[in-house]
Amino acid sequence: MRIALGILMSCLLISSALYSQFNVGYEPVNFIPVIKNGDTLHAPWAGGLNNPQFSPMDFTGNSDEELFVFDRDGALRKGFKYNASTGKYNWVHTIAEDSLPFERHFPKLYDGGFCLIRDFDGDQKPDIFSTHNFENIKAFRNVGSTVPEYQLEQLQLKYKSGSNILPFRMIRNTLPVLRDLDEDGDLDMMFFPVNYSDICSFSTFINQSVEEYGTADSLEFIYGDQCWGHIRVSGGSHPIHNWRAFSCDTTCNIFDGMRDKDVTMTQNLHDLDGDGALDLLITYDHYDEIFGMYNSNTTMNGVIDQSQNDNQFPSNDVQVKLNNQPYPYFIDIDHDGDEDMLVGSNQVNTVDPWEFDTSDASISDVYYENTGSNSAPSFELNQRGFISGEMIDVGLRSFPAFGDLNGDSLPDMVIGNIGYNTFNQALGAARLHYYKNVGTAQAPIFELEDADFANVSSLGLRSAHPALTDVDEDGDVDLVVGDHTGHLQFFKNIGYPEQYNFSQLTPNYHLIDVGGEAHPQFFDLNLDGRMDLVVGDEYGRIQYFENTGASSTPNYSSTPSIEDLGGINVFSELEGQAVPYFTRKLDSTNELYLFMGTGEGRINIYGPLVNFTDTFDLTDSIIVEATQTAVTGVDLLSDFRDELVIGQRAGGLYFLQKTNNQKVGVSEAKTERRQLQIQPNPTHETAHIRLLSIVGSDATLHVHDIQGKRIATATINSKNGYYNEIIDLRPYPNGVYIVSIIEKNSVSWAKLIKN
């Protein structure tokens, strides 16, 4: 029997007992304080945000004070819970009722897509609407009991127009309005269609669930109003300000040189004046404003009165200004009974990170408090960065490094980035951020000391990845910065251990050039007492430069001693961007391991490595909710082993503490009689699974990926006293998988590596 993984159930979650084996015992924590501009951050280690989308959500069925945040840049899923004593939201990295990380309760969604949480079936449990193939809309139903668990409801939502049944089509960066527009109890839809030949303005799609079945638990739409608002774009230099009355024809003709259906905008509906009818809020590609337009008719048959347009919304207070298509979410943020407005940077611009950033800075949300009521709302600016501003966030991408910069024997933190860039503006140079450790050896506290450390921004780099070590062994820490061209910039510390001075720059250090995106680490790899240099590159390789100089005068050839250290190349598999962290401080054995960040986000673990000149075997992985990860390690808690700090594309950091003594690599579970055998292992395609049967009954075979999601399950039969199955991994990416067989109350499992 061959188990074809691609056709088996993919929505079930791994049990907490099996999950405990993942991430080799490292758990995200948030207890180390971080101070910025005199304020202690509430969620410093939550990883940062670029393009957040906000939905109120009850995670566990016993609270209404929780917030689901989806970052469309990277498809990141994060949870936050309201703290009434502080008025802030605390990061929820696990759901209390089980041991799973928060994100593992939710399906993996499209990078660059959208995710809105709405209860469409009326069971008071949060369902999911998201992107399918970047153009269509799919829905997941929450079938969990106390905690969320999702199964796919519809892969492609459709609507009926006359005799035609058509899929919804939405372009990148847009969001649909999902709410009960006709007030009949089911969920309707509205958006500004693009790339439709016969739709030229805002359109509604009315759910027929209540009409057809008497309940709200179906998603069957008919075409409603094809020109809701009776307006269309009129062109001009600022098209969002230029609208004209529209007679609702379907010609979609070119007007003033602009074709309406080519105008990309995103909209939401909210009753801004308390008259019971929903009004229109819109924003446009690459703009940083929201525009209010008032509905003079009913919600179902909206007519915009352009004489009331608020082009400085909200004109009663500080106008919304947030880069990259700000989108308003109306949520009772402060839990006082009325809906406030939380605005997020919605637009992901382009895959080219150098010219078009997804966020101009560390602030990607703005909170406006409703100081009025739901019947008479009045939105007033409360805080920029209400969620995002409570995290360490250095903009786009983060590259952490540690070193003692002031001679107090405490590791300080320096974080690089690729800059603060916005669409169609001058490129913002990459820089370093210095967080001084003002705590103690057992209780670190980091405080932002310098947001342009060593004046690195003056170099005009597009990427700055720091490495800190005493290169010349003169007693103070030196600085090397890897840049986007693949070169290294060396800053010799000409100060003294208690007071750094990085004013002396040696550009293009030793003429080393790894080809693009240099990610350096100093490490004595060959144990000769001198700091060697390992540099990851954007192509997914690690290049090794042996230090052939004296201890006080290091020397590195411009040509790598080993160009593809360990035979590693993760360009095609994990999108390149190899960021190495070698360590001998995982435990008391002093064995050598390599942790490596990747573009896809998975952190590969290789080791223990006996001979660093051999090919490295992948032995385990760490999965965090991130892309373009940059991993480093440091003993921050004086427990004589590394904690991990992980940077990422979202600009923030995760701090991972090892909470048990589980060794790296998943060992096989076995008894005296039984051992789950897998051959070949590793495999490129298929593997043979064999296990001695206890009683000869049917058993259940499960396969989980390293993210903790069950990707296959099947009932298997014993024959001649053994279970014999073939697992086909061809549809799945390389990595570590867990195979388990459950017979009666006995569980046997083993790791299976595909490479």
Side-chain angles (χ1 to χ4, degrees), residues 135-154:
E135 185 177 63
N136 304 133
I137 301 173
K138 61 184 175 182
F140 296 87
R141 188 190 296 265
N142 186 348
V143 297
S145 52
T146 57
V147 295
E149 183 178 334
Y150 289 92
Q151 68 180 22
L152 183 64
E153 178 73 10
Q154 288 190 33

Side-chain angles (χ1 to χ4, degrees), residues 553-716:
T553 56
N555 182 62
Y556 306 97
S557 171
S558 61
T559 302
S561 308
I562 303 176
E563 187 173 16
D564 54 349
L565 186 64
I568 292 172
N569 189 322
V570 294
F571 182 79
S572 59
E573 176 194 354
L574 297 173
E575 302 176 18
Q577 301 293 349
V579 181
Y581 177 67
F582 284 92
T583 181
R584 293 189 175 94
K585 297 187 296 182
L586 285 192
D587 49 40
S588 60
T589 65
N590 203 39
E591 292 178 317
L592 176 64
Y593 289 89
L594 166 64
F595 291 74
M596 189 182 74
T598 65
E600 184 267 354
R602 190 178 87 196
I603 296 167
N604 282 352
I605 306 176
Y606 304 87
L609 305 175
V610 177
N611 189 339
F612 74 90
T613 62
D614 291 341
T615 298
F616 297 169
D617 291 327
L618 176 68
T619 53
D620 227 313
S621 298
I622 290 178
I623 301 297
V624 291
E625 193 70 351
T627 60
Q628 297 180 352
T629 49
V631 60
T632 190
V634 62
D635 181 9
L636 280 182
L637 304 178
S638 296
D639 56 1
F640 305 104
R641 62 182 178 186
D642 281 345
E643 287 79 46
L644 300 180
V645 176
I646 298 172
Q648 57 211 286
R649 180 176 169 84
L653 301 177
Y654 290 128
F655 178 80
L656 273 61
Q657 180 184 13
K658 203 164 193 337
T659 57
N660 61 42
N661 292 319
Q662 177 187 341
K663 289 182 67 64
V664 168
V666 183
S667 59
E668 295 179 346
K670 57 185 178 181
T671 66
E672 187 173 313
R673 291 183 56 221
R674 305 206 314 158
Q675 179 176 346
L676 181 57
Q677 300 173 356
I678 305 179
Q679 291 185 349
N681 191 6
T683 181
H684 297 294
E685 296 181 348
T686 63
H688 177 207
I689 311 300
R690 178 179 170 87
L691 178 69
L692 176 69
S693 172
I694 296 177
V695 294
S697 63
D698 291 347
T700 302
L701 182 145
H702 295 303
V703 181
H704 295 86
D705 65 19
I706 197 63
Q707 300 179 43
K709 183 170 67 176
R710 186 184 298 165
I711 61 172
T713 185
T715 299
I716 58 177

